[in-house]
Amino acid sequence: MDLTATDVAHDFHPWFRVYKDGHVERFLGSPCVPPSDDHQTLAVRSKDIAISTASARLFSPKTIAPNEKLPLLIYIHGGAFSILSAFSSAYHNYLSSLVEESSIIAVSIEYRLAPEHPIPACYDDCYAVMKWVAQHNDGGDRPGLDPWLNEHADFGKVYLAGDSAGANLAHNMVVRADGDGDGLKKITGLVLIHPYFGNEEPANLWEFICSDSGGVNDPRLNPAAHPGLLSKLGCEKVLICTAGKDCLRDRGRSYYAALKESGWGGAVEIVETEGEEHVFHLFEPTSDKAKAMMKLIASFINPTNAASS
């Protein structure tokens, strides 16, 4: 397709560019990879599930004892609501490593991307997966349910996590689940990695990709401006990870301060990795700091496994 700068209608570099003919050009990402179920060489198995307008990649340790129950993690990828994929090599490898490190079951959500699918599409897709996961809570064996979750997910230990925009989505899924009887009845913890939240400054990208924006203080974008909602956050504990050189660092700090001051009754911890950029752990997964953050998150999700390893 031979398009030039004069054909550009909206430019949101480094994420995407929209041309006058409606074509969307994305700039960041890594190639998608298939799930893996090689029993001979892999420590972690994976498979894909289609769920309404969304889909998910499930991860499980290769070796699980019969009837053994493991903590369940629901993970949401980042990418400014508009790029990247749960099926990319970066996220596939990250979730595989996290499952191996922490000995958990994981569900990594693939949602529709803006701008072709404006917000709230990504929120609705994530919640559709949440509701599908919740159907396994009674241990039934109905059509459409997955045996990995039925047999090995501990629904008394459910965690949500995400990075960047995925952290925003994860926070909002906890808020939404708390007010919806069809959702997960109990969420133990929330992990926000370099979260993308707003503040009082104009949010041009958000306004462009959101079909029902409430402005800079939209509670989905800027939860720190809504202490009443934060005080009712439906989980027991929260871990916030920030990075010293991340332009979004102060958004995570503001969320932490607002949550502490809201009167919420849970436990919140914030840990900063000095000298690192936004989502550095995805680009340099073998670095010492990325490994340290992996161990931190693994011990938060499954402290029993961390204590025994």
Side-chain angles (χ1 to χ4, degrees):
M1 184 175 294
D2 187 17
L3 296 171
T4 67
T6 59
D7 297 315
V8 174
H10 305 280
D11 195 338
F12 288 97
H13 197 275
W15 304 294
F16 65 87
R17 181 181 291 149
V18 181
Y19 291 88
K20 293 176 182 177
D21 67 355
H23 172 69
V24 177
E25 179 185 12
R26 290 181 166 83
F27 300 108
L28 295 176
S30 59
C32 289
V33 296
S36 306
D37 197 14
D38 185 341
H39 290 267
Q40 301 301 316
T41 63
L42 296 175
V44 174
R45 306 166 60 191
S46 58
K47 61 182 173 181
D48 292 344
I49 303 290
I51 305 159
S52 184
T53 55
S55 53
R57 180 158 292 180
L58 276 59
F59 296 82
S60 169
K62 181 176 70 174
T63 303
I64 309 178
N67 301 317
E68 181 181 8
K69 297 290 186 178
L70 300 176
L72 172 62
L73 171 67
I74 301 172
Y75 193 91
I76 309 176
H77 75 82
F81 307 102
S82 57
I83 59 173
L84 307 180
S85 168
F87 303 149
S88 69
S89 58
Y91 282 105
H92 177 87
N93 293 339
Y94 179 73
L95 266 295
S96 295
S97 297
L98 183 57
V99 167
E100 182 177 9
E101 178 71 34
S102 52
S103 188
I104 59 175
I105 302 290
V107 177
S108 183
I109 298 177
E110 176 78 345
Y111 52 85
R112 289 172 293 171
L113 299 177
E116 296 94 329
H117 304 282
I119 290 172
C122 56
Y123 291 91
D124 292 341
D125 286 354
C126 289
Y127 202 64
V129 177
M130 293 268 291
K131 291 175 69 173
W132 176 79
V133 170
Q135 293 175 24
H136 297 75
N137 196 8
D138 60 7
D141 192 22
R142 300 184 299 278
L145 300 189
D146 183 80
W148 291 5
L149 297 182
N150 270 346
E151 296 168 14
H152 297 297
D154 184 346
F155 282 88
K157 299 176 181 177
V158 177
Y159 292 80
L160 264 74
D163 62 90
S164 195
N168 175 299
L169 287 159
H171 158 81
N172 280 284
M173 290 306 100
V174 174
V175 172
R176 190 165 173 178
D178 192 46
D180 189 336
D182 292 331
L184 290 163
K185 300 299 186 290
K186 177 184 178 182
I187 297 173
T188 304
L190 174 63
V191 182
L192 305 177
I193 305 170
H194 308 170
Y196 171 71
F197 292 125
N199 53 21
E200 299 297 332
E201 300 174 4
N204 295 330
L205 174 65
W206 172 268
E207 291 297 329
F208 180 74
I209 64 176
C210 186
S211 65
D212 60 350
S213 173
V216 295
N217 285 328
D218 188 312
R220 296 168 298 183
L221 176 66
N222 188 8
H226 300 270
L229 288 177
L230 284 177
S231 69
K232 300 174 183 177
L233 192 65
C235 61
E236 300 172 8
K237 57 181 183 175
V238 175
L239 172 64
I240 304 166
C241 298
T242 59
K245 296 171 69 175
D246 183 3
C247 64
L248 296 179
R249 178 191 65 176
D250 291 342
R251 314 288 178 92
R253 290 179 172 182
S254 295
Y255 180 97
Y256 169 76
L259 185 58
K260 286 199 72 173
E261 295 168 5
S262 71
W264 176 64
V268 58
E269 177 183 8
I270 187 168
V271 177
E272 184 159 301
T273 304
E274 296 181 0
E276 293 294 346
E277 303 280 357
H278 189 65
V279 297
F280 72 94
H281 61 292
L282 295 177
F283 301 108
E284 301 175 359
T286 61
S287 70
D288 289 342
K289 291 180 179 179
K291 290 178 179 178
M293 192 168 78
M294 173 78 71
K295 289 185 178 297
L296 172 71
I297 294 170
S299 64
F300 179 84
I301 297 171
N302 194 356
T304 302
N305 182 72
S308 61
S309 61

